[in-house]
Amino acid sequence: MKLIAKKENKNDVDVAALFKKKNINHTMLEPKYIANDRAFELWWYSLNDKNHILAKHLFIPHYLFYILIEEHEVFEPADFDYYMKHGEFANKGIGLCGGDFIGYR
């Protein structure tokens, strides 16, 4: 697992509309996940046959964290919480185990 981009937006971003406009397969995982005392929406999406997570900060400024789930990795929301506290993913990106979404289909 690795962070591929972090963007800041002053205006709110409608993630579902953005994905729909670009015809990207997506699902909301968590509508209000608290990580490091900050509220986020967590989204799964598939792009170029690879699984990703988009974490959108719910308050201004709206930070967007784009995370790639690499082959044989498993993502769970606690992985993002770990990232927010430590600035990196646990186990060199492999995650904390358990998981909700697995890497490549």
Side-chain angles (χ1 to χ4, degrees):
M1 203 170 319
K2 67 180 177 181
L3 183 70
I4 53 176
K6 176 184 174 185
K7 297 184 178 183
E8 179 182 339
N9 289 306
K10 293 179 182 177
N11 300 320
D12 196 4
V13 176
D14 184 343
V15 175
L18 177 68
F19 286 147
K20 193 176 253 188
K21 180 180 177 183
K22 296 187 179 231
N23 200 27
I24 295 174
N25 190 16
H26 65 282
T27 301
M28 179 183 276
L29 299 178
E30 295 281 344
K32 191 173 185 183
Y33 183 76
I34 306 300
N36 203 28
D37 296 325
R38 294 164 60 184
F40 291 87
E41 287 178 352
L42 297 180
W43 294 82
W44 164 86
Y45 68 99
S46 178
L47 184 63
N48 300 325
D49 292 325
K50 295 180 182 176
N51 290 312
H52 297 77
I53 299 296
L54 172 59
K56 175 194 148 189
H57 187 235
L58 293 177
F59 301 103
I60 297 172
H62 298 281
Y63 290 102
L64 302 172
F65 295 83
Y66 295 87
I67 302 163
L68 172 65
I69 304 172
E70 298 184 276
E71 189 172 4
H72 306 295
E73 291 181 339
V74 178
F75 175 85
E76 64 182 29
D79 291 317
F80 184 65
D81 192 46
Y82 185 93
Y83 174 82
M84 290 301 293
K85 288 179 182 173
H86 302 283
E88 62 185 7
F89 289 101
N91 301 321
K92 298 183 181 175
I94 296 171
L96 297 170
C97 299
D100 293 327
F101 285 87
I102 298 176
Y104 302 106
R105 298 187 206 181

